[in-house]
Amino acid sequence: MEEFKPKTTLLLILLPLLLSSTLHPISSLSPSPSPATQPSLPSPSSSPSPSSTLDPKQLTALQSINFPTGRDPCLQPSPHNATLCDSSKPFRHLISLRLSNCSADLLLSSTALNSLSTLQSLSFLNCPIPPFRLPSDLSSNLRSFSCVSSLRRLTGVWLSHLYNLTELTVSDVPISASGPSIILSNMNKVTSFTISGANLTGFLPRKWHPKLTHIDFSHNKLKGRVPISVTQLPNLKFLNLSSNQLLGQIPDTFGDLISLQNLSLSSNLMSGPIPDSIASIPSLAHLDLSSNQFNGSVPNFLSEMKDLKYLNLEGNNFQGMIPFNGSTIKRFAVFKVGGNSNLCYNHSTVSSMLKLGIAPCDKDGFPVQPPPDKSSSSGSEDANSDSGDGSSDEKPKENHRHGPNKVVLGVAIGLSSIVFLIIFLVLLAKWCG
Ligand SMILES: *[C@@H]1O[C@H](CO)[C@@H](O)[C@H](O)[C@H]1NC(C)=O
Ligand SMILES: *[C@@H]1O[C@H](CO)[C@@H](O)[C@H](O)[C@H]1NC(C)=O
Ligand SMILES: *[C@@H]1O[C@H](CO)[C@@H](O)[C@H](O)[C@H]1NC(C)=O
Ligand SMILES: *[C@@H]1O[C@H](CO)[C@@H](O)[C@H](O)[C@H]1NC(C)=O
Ligand SMILES: *[C@@H]1O[C@H](CO)[C@@H](O)[C@H](O)[C@H]1NC(C)=O
Ligand SMILES: *[C@@H]1O[C@H](CO)[C@@H](O)[C@H](O)[C@H]1NC(C)=O
Ligand SMILES: *[C@@H]1O[C@H](CO)[C@@H](O)[C@H](O)[C@H]1NC(C)=O
Ligand SMILES: *[C@@H]1O[C@H](CO)[C@@H](O)[C@H](O)[C@H]1NC(C)=O
Ligand SMILES: *[C@@H]1O[C@H](CO)[C@@H](O)[C@H](O)[C@H]1NC(C)=O
């Protein structure tokens, strides 16, 4: 018993230190303090009157569509940013309204709509109410209109009445129209145009408004070629034409899009090479050409574009050696080249660990045939991982690299503190008993 004494004192000093270092992260996981204080309605001292500052007609209109008005809709910030008012006197007027999660039988009466014609921004999110007739005052006032999974079904003619818009978003709502032109041709001020998941048919417009910065026609049924006119938009930053039935080549003039940052042409029927002019787009960050029939070699300049962070060339007919080494590939947030059976990588500059979903090249720059396995010359312990599927990207791997270490460390600390605790209890029992 006597020989335990010095160790016991040492333990008694160490234990609180250990326990505090292991328990601290646990205590920080517990719910933040003051869970009992209910976030009651804000009652700012500036507006002691409970009555609304909103125009009574508009208040009635909101009540008629079951919009909660217990709290002044002009108070900012409004919940979910659903309302925004101007500052006119004696009554304020709504300039922005967002309706979310409506019941399907909600009636948006023409009286209500007429009194809401001061709106400049109107959005519907998950509001499967029937489409309504737009009062002309409202349609000319609106600058921004958004309809996501709402209004059941729209027509191109209905949308074309919103000629004063700068921003249009229609997503996951079917649109019947002869094509995008009927919607776009009257909107002389539009800068952001999104019609996505609308089963829109027809061809891309030949004429575009030069102020456009954002075009998204993804997930529709558009046919034909990508017109050269779309490459004549000096302010265009964002172009998404993915998941349509577009054909033909990428126009050589694509490099004229000097503001372009994000481009997706994925999941179409396009073919031909990546044009050299893409090299002159200074801030291209996102390039998705996946699931088409593009061919030719992957150009060298792609490895030199400083802002490019996302590159997806999966599922095409590209051929030859990719112009990237391992360190360049790791710079990308997403890098996908799989599903190109004639594409390969230089095994002396790219590790097979990257699992690109393509084969290493032979000395002539062709993929090693048949698919690489243990017989390949690089013969390291995991040569068989070369044939892994192409869908793996960087992110999960990085987690893989760092994840386990933290877990192991945590378990080790936890276990050792339990061991110490047991020793401590045993000693304590001996001491007391
Ligand atoms: C409300 O709008 C502001 C400014 O546009 C934005 O920063 C904020 O995230 C929005 N809040 C919600 C809940 O949408
Ligand atoms: C609408 O419903 C979704 C989930 O069903 C919810 O996340 C969202 O906060 C709701 N929005 C509003 C404004 O109530
Ligand atoms: C269209 O919007 C502009 C401001 O962008 C406004 O001056 C004009 O009056 C609007 N047109 C109509 C017919 O309301
Ligand atoms: C588009 O059409 C397909 C069938 O062709 C249908 O399954 C899908 O729901 C439609 N999309 C919309 C937004 O209506
Ligand atoms: C393009 O649209 C598709 C479908 O709407 C989406 O999944 C994809 O992330 C978009 N691409 C870009 C570059 O925004
Ligand atoms: C553009 O691409 C970048 C890089 O992939 C991404 O972070 C960003 O969200 C994209 N922007 C839009 C509007 O989709
Ligand atoms: C790419 O495919 C087209 C046919 O779609 C063919 O004419 C052309 O020669 C191919 N280019 C290369 C470099 O293989
Ligand atoms: C990888 O390629 C880049 C650009 O192509 C080059 O600057 C860099 O030196 C190369 N790194 C190695 C390790 O070869
Ligand atoms: C692969 O890269 C090495 C080192 O840069 C180079 O010497 C070799 O020629 C390349 N292999 C092929 C087939 O081009």
Side-chain angles (χ1 to χ4, degrees), residues 55-92:
D55 179 336
K57 267 193 206 152
Q58 296 198 328
L59 197 62
T60 310
L62 290 183
Q63 281 157 354
S64 79
I65 54 173
N66 302 331
F67 190 91
T69 53
R71 176 186 183 276
D72 183 354
C74 291
L75 267 184
Q76 288 300 314
S78 66
H80 302 281
N81 282 346
T83 49
L84 188 66
C85 300
D86 66 9
S87 52
S88 53
K89 295 263 165 69
F91 293 117
R92 302 171 75 183

Side-chain angles (χ1 to χ4, degrees), residues 242-260:
S242 70
S243 301
N244 279 286
Q245 293 150 25
L246 300 171
L247 302 162
Q249 304 201 353
I250 302 177
D252 284 335
T253 51
F254 239 76
D256 297 346
L257 289 169
I258 52 165
S259 303
L260 195 64

Side-chain angles (χ1 to χ4, degrees), residues 19 23 40 44 63 67 143 147 156 176 185 215 243 287 313 315 327 396:
L19 282 179
L23 286 180
S40 56
Q63 281 157 354
F67 190 91
R143 306 286 180 275
C147 177
S176 28
S185 60
I215 299 174
S243 301
L287 179 61
L313 303 177
S327 46

Side-chain angles (χ1 to χ4, degrees), residues 220-251:
N220 282 297
K221 294 181 172 167
L222 299 175
K223 295 172 296 195
R225 295 169 172 269
V226 175
I228 288 174
S229 57
V230 84
T231 67
Q232 289 157 359
L233 299 171
N235 301 312
L236 193 66
K237 284 189 178 142
F238 181 98
L239 178 61
N240 193 342
L241 301 176
S242 70
S243 301
N244 279 286
Q245 293 150 25
L246 300 171
L247 302 162
Q249 304 201 353
I250 302 177

Side-chain angles (χ1 to χ4, degrees), residues 11 14-23 26 409-427:
L11 272 175
L14 280 178
L15 206 73
L17 284 176
L18 264 167
L19 282 179
S20 69
S21 70
T22 51
L23 286 180
I26 295 170
L409 195 68
V411 168
I413 292 175
L415 280 180
S416 57
S417 53
I418 289 172
V419 168
F420 273 108
L421 194 66
I422 291 170
I423 294 173
F424 174 72
L425 288 175
V426 167
L427 288 173

